[in-house]
Amino acid sequence: MPDASLTLEDGGAVLRLSGIAPDGRDLRFHAIWLRDNALDPATRDPGNGQRLITLGDIPADCHLSDVRLDAGQLHCTFAPDGHMCAFPLGWLRDHAYDRPHANNAAALPEGAEVWDATLNASVPSGVMPDLEQNGAALRDWLAAIRRYGFAKVTGMRAEPGALFGIVDLFGHVRETNYGRHFEVRTEVNPVNLAYTGLGLQAHTDNPYRDPVPTLQVLACLENSATGGENMVVDGFAVARKLRDEDPRGFALMAGHDARFAYVGGGGVHLRSRRPMIELGPDGALQAVRFNARSAAPITDVPFDDMADYYAAYRRFSALVDDPTIQVTFKLAPGEAFIVDNTRVLHARRGYSGAGTRWLQGCYADKDGLLSKLAVLEEEA
Ligand code: FE2
């Protein structure tokens, strides 16, 4: 980059770099930021990349005493300790923070996109033997989960425990008080065909845990009853619709904790206090929690806001129930699906008639999934 040039400002507290940003803007870096992020082996372990210093090791009056460009590298000398290090200009461009920081109201995580019922035409799916043997197929399937927050799996063995094979593709089971896995099994009364298994409203699982399980896997072993389809809803799409319709209601749901509880047998009393719509400090969407069955009394919303909070909560619930945003599929034995439990709500439709419905479920975590995806993408 022959056009790069640099200037020290504010007594060496700030470096201004020209000619490296694609849009032509200058990029400024603070001396303290550069020193803290130095790439030299005394600052970062060359093996694992872990930082070897703390801020206490950097003088409070750290500043740049000398800078120069050479062969695509920025060479820095810091004062008062005389520390020297170099940064590739490409690294500085990739890690620049001197840019407009937009208000990211309800922005989606990187790689995610919202969806609605039109996704019924192309439900993301992978075939188990491909996922186990073909890195590109696994990468594409994991990327679909990052993008949509759910995906199906077909071609599994319809055997107890087969669901663990899905988690083995990327990570580890999250064991809970329900065990390593749980059974979802219903015998529909064969002599009373009018019997109808109740549907369940779409929900996220276990909002009473903190942290919640960030992935859920449900695998089908038997499904001979009529109905009983699985349904998923994009909680981020619901949150963004609410924000468009009722910004104040959205802000109330994001700005106040709800409470969730589960009191089970065997000395289990799980409680959490978290918002139903969770945002990052920049307003970007981080998670939704929605589960009428385990919602505890909400006591963190001021009296004067409670009526409006409930109006927004009711609207969120109605949007979840709107068929135009729901994706529905019936699992056959040997099929499964995985959901990002911080984003996608899942449900079971009602079922009737003679037959058996048997699924096994387990939890896992998204950090392992995204780690596996990052490794596969680096290899590609
Ligand atoms: Fe559930």
Side-chain angles (χ1 to χ4, degrees):
M1 274 166 268
D3 297 324
S5 64
L6 44 81
T7 321
L8 284 181
E9 299 180 351
D10 198 11
V14 171
L15 167 74
R16 179 183 291 271
L17 264 174
S18 306
I20 71 164
D23 61 2
R25 278 182 301 112
D26 288 357
L27 299 178
R28 293 169 299 170
F29 296 88
H30 290 89
I32 180 65
W33 187 95
L34 290 167
R35 178 64 194 91
D36 190 37
N37 290 292
L39 303 168
D40 63 280
T43 307
R44 287 270 180 190
D45 186 294
N48 61 23
Q50 301 258 291
R51 184 180 278 103
L52 302 171
I53 63 167
T54 69
L55 278 181
D57 297 316
I58 303 175
D61 57 349
C62 168
H63 58 281
L64 287 158
S65 58
D66 186 50
V67 285
R68 62 186 170 83
L69 293 169
D70 183 33
Q73 302 251 332
L74 169 72
H75 295 264
C76 299
T77 304
F78 295 89
D81 61 358
H83 188 83
M84 298 174 73
C85 66
F87 296 90
L89 292 182
W91 187 96
L92 290 168
R93 188 175 53 238
D94 292 344
H95 294 85
Y97 58 91
D98 188 12
R99 55 185 164 77
H101 289 261
N103 176 7
N104 274 331
L108 298 171
E110 205 174 325
E113 65 184 67
V114 290
W115 46 267
D116 60 18
T118 57
L119 193 60
N120 274 303
S122 54
V123 170
S125 190
V127 183
M128 192 60 176
D130 288 349
L131 300 176
E132 289 173 323
Q133 295 157 21
N134 180 335
L138 179 58
R139 182 195 66 217
D140 293 347
W141 182 76
L142 296 171
I145 299 166
R146 179 176 60 191
R147 176 187 269 188
Y148 300 116
F150 81 101
K152 274 183 68 179
V153 181
T154 61
M156 297 171 57
R157 289 171 293 111
E159 292 174 1
L163 79 173
F164 297 132
I166 294 179
V167 179
D168 288 343
L169 293 169
F170 59 79
H172 304 278
V173 168
R174 164 120 58 119
E175 195 167 335
T176 71
N177 56 295
Y178 301 136
R180 190 164 148 77
H181 81 283
F182 49 90
E183 305 284 348
V184 185
R185 188 163 196 168
T186 315
E187 306 278 348
V188 180
N189 183 348
V191 296
N192 180 4
L193 298 182
Y195 176 91
T196 300
L198 287 177
L200 292 172
Q201 188 186 26
H203 58 275
T204 60
D205 256 36
N206 293 199
Y208 40 78
R209 297 187 198 280
D210 190 0
V212 299
T214 49
L215 294 171
Q216 180 179 186
V217 175
L218 277 170
C220 179
L221 288 99
E222 297 177 22
N223 201 2
S224 55
T226 303
E229 295 90 352
N230 286 96
M231 185 262 280
V232 287
V233 168
D234 184 356
F236 285 176
V238 170
R240 284 161 70 106
K241 273 186 186 237
L242 178 69
R243 178 206 54 174
D244 293 345
E245 291 180 10
D246 177 10
R248 173 170 151 73
F250 174 86
L252 287 172
M253 288 186 71
H256 296 285
D257 281 321
R259 297 196 184 221
F260 301 93
Y262 173 80
V263 181
V268 175
H269 191 163
L270 292 158
R271 285 187 285 206
S272 74
R273 176 175 180 251
R274 290 280 175 168
M276 293 202 205
I277 300 171
E278 185 173 347
L279 304 177
D282 61 353
L285 283 165
Q286 288 196 326
V288 295
R289 294 173 184 78
F290 184 81
N291 190 322
R293 284 171 297 151
S294 49
I298 296 165
T299 55
D300 297 283
V301 178
F303 178 88
D304 288 342
D305 293 325
M306 189 62 91
D308 289 345
Y309 183 96
Y310 258 89
Y313 183 16
R314 173 184 292 276
R315 182 60 185 149
F316 192 103
S317 178
L319 287 166
V320 166
D321 294 337
D322 178 353
T324 67
I325 64 161
Q326 298 172 348
V327 167
T328 303
F329 45 85
K330 183 161 183 172
L331 294 181
E335 295 185 346
F337 73 103
I338 182 168
V339 288
D340 175 346
N341 191 50
T342 68
R343 170 185 174 186
V344 170
L345 292 66
H346 64 277
R348 181 196 72 209
R349 291 207 190 282
Y351 51 91
S352 62
T356 302
R357 189 171 183 276
W358 181 19
L359 288 82
Q360 289 188 324
C362 72
Y363 299 115
D365 282 308
K366 210 168 56 172
D367 56 351
L369 186 152
L370 294 174
S371 166
K372 182 71 181 182
L373 177 55
V375 169
L376 291 171
E377 287 181 333
E378 282 163 19
E379 288 172 359

